[in-house]
Amino acid sequence: MGAFSEETIKSVRHYTDRLFSFRVTRPQSLRFRSGEFVMIGLKVDGKPLLRAYSIASPSWDEELEFFSIKVPDGPLTSRLQHINEGDTILLGTKPVGTLVLDALLPGKRLYLLSTGTGIAPFASVIRDPETYERYEQVILTHTCREVAELTYGKELVEAVRKDPLVGDFVGDKLVYYPSVTREAFDRQGRITALMDEGKIYEELGVPPLNPETDRVMICGSMEMLEDCKTRCEQAGLTEGSNARPGEFVIEKAFAG
Ligand code: A2P
């Protein structure tokens, strides 16, 4: 068996000059847990060029969805941003990752902290009925530079709430908490600042981070991961992994 298969693009959507999403065929043999990532790529000069991408679709979906940044001189995304329906891409055969329910201890409230394309793994997690079986409340935070960059997440949350399959599980458990840092918006500021000021807790009417009740998944840039990890540790939460479930887990969002 090869390390990757060739899959067909089913649809592409561009959100801004920096962001797009696409859906591809899913090989029947591909199994994954919601929140995991997989290698995807293109053949460049006859050689495979692959990068790790979070799977944004849930594990029950017939197709695979990805949410990507466009980097003008990025080796892969400078090419990937031009794909069209009917084109093929390379897909790895072994999804892995730590942003999975199994890497967290049971709890009451699940925070999904994301910036930019870091929302991708959570697009999978919030479409998985098991998430709502395990937690009483699921808080998805998404911080972007510009308002238009929130569109993917905003529409996703609306669709999840209305979904005939997942909607019943979601009920009123899913809370969407967007913020913007470089444009005017209803809520402005980095998630770290909103936590430090206590604004997120006030606005949601929940107590501050607490290892007794709260679990956290974090996905964004290296700096964002570090800063959010510090907040979790200061609150007394310990990092988990597949081998040793804990109270928070982190993973870097794809960029390049
Ligand atoms: P800011 O505009 O203040 O840099 P990026 O595209 O650079 O990954 O940023 C995406 C979003 O994440 C932006 O809103 C950015 O805010 C925010 N961000 C960047 N670095 C951090 C950090 N260390 N902690 C929290 N949020 C961050």
Side-chain angles (χ1 to χ4, degrees):
M1 201 171 66
F4 49 82
S5 60
E6 255 184 31
E7 301 303 326
T8 307
I9 305 292
K10 302 293 285 181
S11 59
V12 183
R13 183 162 167 206
H14 294 269
Y15 293 89
T16 67
D17 55 2
R18 294 208 316 143
L19 295 172
F20 71 115
S21 70
F22 53 97
R23 294 178 68 88
V24 306
T25 50
R26 174 178 178 178
Q28 276 202 330
S29 58
L30 191 88
R31 293 274 167 273
F32 68 97
R33 295 175 298 171
S34 296
E36 287 189 317
F37 66 85
V38 68
M39 302 303 288
I40 67 169
L42 295 169
K43 258 193 196 140
V44 177
D45 301 329
K47 286 188 213 140
L49 176 65
L50 296 146
R51 293 286 184 272
Y53 263 83
S54 288
I55 303 173
S57 44
S59 52
W60 52 259
D61 203 331
E62 281 173 20
E63 294 177 349
L64 297 173
E65 182 178 306
F66 299 96
F67 183 50
S68 179
I69 195 148
K70 306 175 196 176
V71 181
D73 54 359
L76 181 60
T77 63
S78 62
R79 297 176 168 93
L80 200 58
Q81 64 179 285
H82 300 297
I83 51 167
N84 289 304
E85 195 182 326
D87 291 347
T88 57
I89 62 157
L90 303 174
L91 176 76
T93 52
K94 283 202 179 76
V96 289
T98 53
L99 300 181
V100 292
L101 295 173
D102 290 344
L104 290 175
L105 295 166
K108 183 172 166 188
R109 195 173 289 120
L110 175 64
Y111 283 92
L112 304 170
L113 309 181
S114 69
T115 54
T117 56
I119 194 174
F122 306 146
S124 178
V125 172
I126 65 165
R127 287 187 268 189
D128 190 331
E130 202 181 333
T131 304
Y132 305 97
E133 284 171 356
R134 293 206 194 188
Y135 295 95
E136 287 174 26
Q137 195 174 33
V138 179
I139 300 166
L140 170 66
T141 83
H142 191 206
T143 307
C144 292
R145 296 178 186 188
E146 297 168 14
V147 178
E149 294 174 332
L150 293 173
T151 305
Y152 174 80
K154 182 174 172 277
E155 292 185 0
L156 174 82
V157 168
E158 282 164 10
V160 170
R161 291 192 175 124
K162 281 193 234 147
D163 188 280
L165 197 86
V166 190
D168 281 351
F169 291 90
V170 177
D172 54 7
K173 289 183 168 184
L174 178 62
V175 178
Y176 174 55
Y177 192 82
S179 71
V180 168
T181 51
R182 302 194 192 184
E183 251 183 16
F185 187 62
D186 292 351
R187 186 180 302 108
Q188 286 182 282
R190 290 183 172 192
I191 190 61
T192 42
L194 296 164
M195 289 165 88
D196 293 346
E197 293 158 10
K199 195 168 171 201
I200 180 169
Y201 309 117
E202 265 169 47
E203 287 186 318
L204 300 181
V206 297
L209 266 192
N210 178 345
E212 296 284 311
T213 49
D214 299 335
R215 303 295 170 254
V216 187
M217 292 187 182
I218 312 167
C219 191
S221 63
M222 283 312 284
E223 295 75 27
M224 180 271 193
L225 296 185
E226 261 318 300
D227 291 351
C228 291
K229 179 179 163 159
T230 304
R231 268 60 179 190
C232 286
E233 289 177 341
Q234 282 168 349
L237 279 71
T238 51
E239 187 170 354
S241 67
N242 278 288
R244 222 173 130 188
E247 287 143 358
F248 75 92
V249 282
I250 64 175
E251 208 144 75
K252 189 178 176 299
F254 172 79

